[in-house]
Amino acid sequence: QVQLVESGGGLVQPGGSLRLSCAASIDIFSISSMRWYRQAPGKQRELVAAITSGFSTNYADAVKGRFTISRDNAKNTVYLQMNNLKPEDTAVYYCNSARLPRVWGQGTQVTVSS
C-alpha cells in the first residue's frame, strides 16, 4: 500500500525555522516529481514547492527565498526546509507525488505564532 508520512511540524515563533520530512513508500519515488502543499483553515490547498526527479525546483512566490525543497532518493524522502517563518505560513503541510496525485498523507501542522 502506498503511503506518504509527513513529520516535523510544530509551533514556532515568527522568524524561526522548521524542517519537514515526507517518507514515501513508493517504488517509483526516484522517478517521481514530489511536491509540498499546504492548507490553511478556510483556504484551498496550495502548492508550495516542487522538485523533479532531476532535482529541479520550483517555489510559490510567497515562499521564494525562505523555503528549500530537497530529496534523498536513497531514503525515499523529500524535505522542506522552512526559514524566516511568518504567521501566514501557518497551515497543514502535505507532500504528494506527481505520479500518484490522489495519494495524500495525514499532513503535519505548522503553527507560526508568538
Side-chain angles (χ1 to χ4, degrees), residues 14-58:
S17 298
L18 283 173
R19 189 194 195 203
L20 306 183
S21 299
C22 170
S25 64
I26 53 177
D27 294 339
I28 55 172
F29 179 86
S30 65
I31 61 171
S32 298
S33 291
M34 296 297 296
R35 308 154 173 175
W36 281 100
Y37 288 80
R38 67 185 180 187
Q39 188 166 19
K43 295 188 176 181
Q44 288 189 335
R45 193 169 296 185
E46 63 175 354
L47 179 63
V48 174
I51 185 166
T52 70
S53 58
F55 296 86
S56 295
T57 58
N58 282 291

Side-chain angles (χ1 to χ4, degrees), residues 14-107:
S17 298
L18 283 173
R19 189 194 195 203
L20 306 183
S21 299
C22 170
S25 64
I26 53 177
D27 294 339
I28 55 172
F29 179 86
S30 65
I31 61 171
S32 298
S33 291
M34 296 297 296
R35 308 154 173 175
W36 281 100
Y37 288 80
R38 67 185 180 187
Q39 188 166 19
K43 295 188 176 181
Q44 288 189 335
R45 193 169 296 185
E46 63 175 354
L47 179 63
V48 174
I51 185 166
T52 70
S53 58
F55 296 86
S56 295
T57 58
N58 282 291
Y59 299 93
D61 288 343
V63 307
K64 279 182 181 177
R66 300 188 298 121
F67 290 12
T68 302
I69 188 171
S70 61
R71 65 191 297 161
D72 184 338
N73 289 342
K75 296 181 179 180
N76 275 20
T77 301
V78 61
Y79 304 97
L80 187 67
Q81 177 66 44
M82 306 187 296
N83 298 327
N84 191 21
L85 283 160
K86 304 176 180 181
E88 52 264 41
D89 295 318
T90 295
V92 179
Y93 284 71
Y94 302 88
C95 68
N96 180 262
S97 165
R99 290 184 176 261
L100 297 168
R102 296 182 180 180
V103 177
W104 296 92
Q106 82 290 346

